[in-house]
Amino acid sequence: MTHVPITYIEPVYRPPSEAESLILPLTNGCSWNRCTFCEMYTAPQKRFRPRDEAEVLESIRLCGERFGGAVKRIFLSDGDAMTLSMRRLTTVLAAIRQHLPGVRRVSSYCLPRNLRKKSVEELRELAALGLSLVYVGAESGDDEVLDRVDKGETFESSREALEKLGAAGVKRSVMILNGLGGRTLSRQHALNSAALMNATQPEFLATLVVSFPLGEARFRARFPEWEPLDVPGLMQEMELFISSLNLDRTVFRSDHASNWLILKGTLGADKPRLLQQLRAAIAAPEAAPLRPAWARGL
């Protein structure tokens, strides 16, 4: 595409699957921004604020003039555009429909807390206007792990949000962080994360490995006894997680740059194959197709 008539405040983040999407910022930063493992919105210029509504609507209009029907996907950024009011969200979605008629998918990050005051009926209204997919960073289904990383959520709050979205017909892509509980909480992290997925049956599930490109100080301030899992430990946690999943037709991906072993499939159809890959890697790591450290892009 040529120059996009949108003002961005760097850094800008999006899920890997939104590489071809037009990024439309509705907020700057993240309204929670206290998760100790997350460095995405800690820069001073990323302090949370809603974007000016008139500016957003003008950006949509200008994109319509410039790109016509060429835009097929839009990702609403930054960290949690879904925190905005129903009036703001419906206004934006209606403007997208008016000015960018070629759009077939609108998606957004979504914190579970964003949906506490939104009903299933309201979410159905957003879906009818074009919101078709949200990315929910559940991170874990274990309440102790969630508390240690200051997620501001619980198993129940995540379950409630995911069930609301499912009932409204909005597809859900859930992220779980491999290794988030460290050595001591690894087992309960894996088991309770699997329980959350089993209870909600998301359409998409991805796992990433917890990492700290800017250092561990922020994370350890609240979780000082955390001990990182080594590569075999990460794979053992994944083996327990996947073996505990009872999913009907969830597309599973563990191919983010942070992952050592790339896994892809549909659960539950591909569960035996994925477990076989994991167990083979655990038994003979020297023969496993592990991503080299230099290629992890962290």
Side-chain angles (χ1 to χ4, degrees):
M1 281 188 180
T2 56
H3 173 70
V4 177
I6 296 174
T7 300
Y8 294 106
I9 299 175
E10 300 289 343
V12 176
Y13 295 96
R14 53 140 181 93
S17 58
E18 300 294 337
E20 303 300 320
S21 300
L22 174 69
I23 309 301
L24 178 66
L26 302 192
T27 67
N28 185 57
C30 171
S31 62
W32 178 248
N33 205 28
R34 288 166 53 179
C35 300
T36 59
F37 57 84
C38 180
E39 303 167 348
M40 290 168 64
Y41 305 111
T42 55
Q45 72 272 20
K46 300 303 289 187
R47 183 176 180 179
F48 178 77
R49 65 174 177 84
R51 287 293 187 103
D52 179 75
E53 183 174 4
E55 176 190 350
V56 171
L57 296 178
E58 179 66 1
S59 294
I60 295 170
R61 187 188 67 78
L62 291 173
C63 284
E65 285 186 354
R66 185 158 300 177
F67 306 126
V71 177
K72 304 302 180 185
R73 294 182 175 186
I74 289 181
F75 177 73
L76 308 175
S77 64
D78 265 339
D80 57 338
M82 291 292 288
T83 194
L84 296 177
S85 68
M86 280 294 298
R87 187 199 64 77
R88 287 285 299 269
L89 290 170
T90 55
T91 299
V92 166
L93 291 171
I96 290 171
R97 175 165 289 187
Q98 176 184 354
H99 297 289
L100 294 161
V103 170
R104 297 293 176 263
R105 185 174 95 178
V106 180
S107 57
S108 172
Y109 284 133
C110 179
L111 302 178
R113 66 194 308 108
N114 294 161
L115 304 186
R116 289 175 189 168
K117 295 182 179 180
K118 291 182 174 66
S119 67
V120 171
E121 291 71 23
E122 287 174 323
L123 293 173
R124 284 187 182 131
E125 182 181 355
L126 297 179
L129 285 169
L131 180 71
S132 53
L133 172 68
V134 297
Y135 299 86
V136 180
E139 327 304 356
S140 178
D142 184 74
D143 286 349
E144 185 174 3
V145 171
L146 292 168
D147 178 66
R148 293 296 188 93
V149 302
D150 203 10
K151 177 66 181 177
E153 304 289 352
T154 64
F155 179 101
E156 282 302 315
S157 68
S158 295
R159 180 194 60 76
E160 181 182 2
L162 290 168
E163 288 185 345
K164 273 186 178 181
L165 290 164
V170 178
K171 292 181 179 178
R172 304 149 297 168
S173 182
V174 182
M175 285 78 77
I176 297 292
L177 279 177
N178 186 200
L180 187 61
R183 293 182 183 274
T184 56
L185 303 183
S186 177
R187 181 175 178 81
Q188 65 196 64
H189 170 51
L191 291 175
N192 289 324
S193 296
L196 178 62
M197 298 302 94
N198 293 340
T200 56
Q201 298 287 315
E203 289 75 20
F204 303 94
L205 169 62
T207 60
L208 289 68
V209 174
V210 64
S211 59
F212 308 97
L214 299 183
E216 299 176 3
R218 185 167 178 251
F219 184 81
R220 288 188 179 277
R222 191 175 175 95
F223 199 169
E225 70 276 26
W226 183 79
E227 295 179 62
L229 295 173
D230 56 15
V231 177
L234 289 167
M235 290 192 291
Q236 288 164 2
E237 182 178 282
M238 280 291 293
E239 193 274 340
L240 178 59
F241 174 62
I242 292 178
S243 66
S244 303
L245 290 171
N246 293 301
L247 300 174
D248 295 329
R249 48 186 177 276
T250 296
V251 175
F252 173 72
R253 294 289 183 269
S254 185
D255 57 355
H256 182 264
S258 63
N259 297 112
W260 291 96
L261 180 66
I262 296 173
L263 299 168
K264 299 179 181 181
T266 300
L267 296 167
D270 295 321
K271 180 175 175 178
R273 175 178 61 80
L274 295 172
L275 287 174
Q276 183 181 34
Q277 288 178 253
L278 275 165
R279 289 164 182 164
I282 291 168
E286 70 283 354
L290 299 182
R291 179 180 272 135
W294 62 264
R296 295 178 69 232
L298 302 175

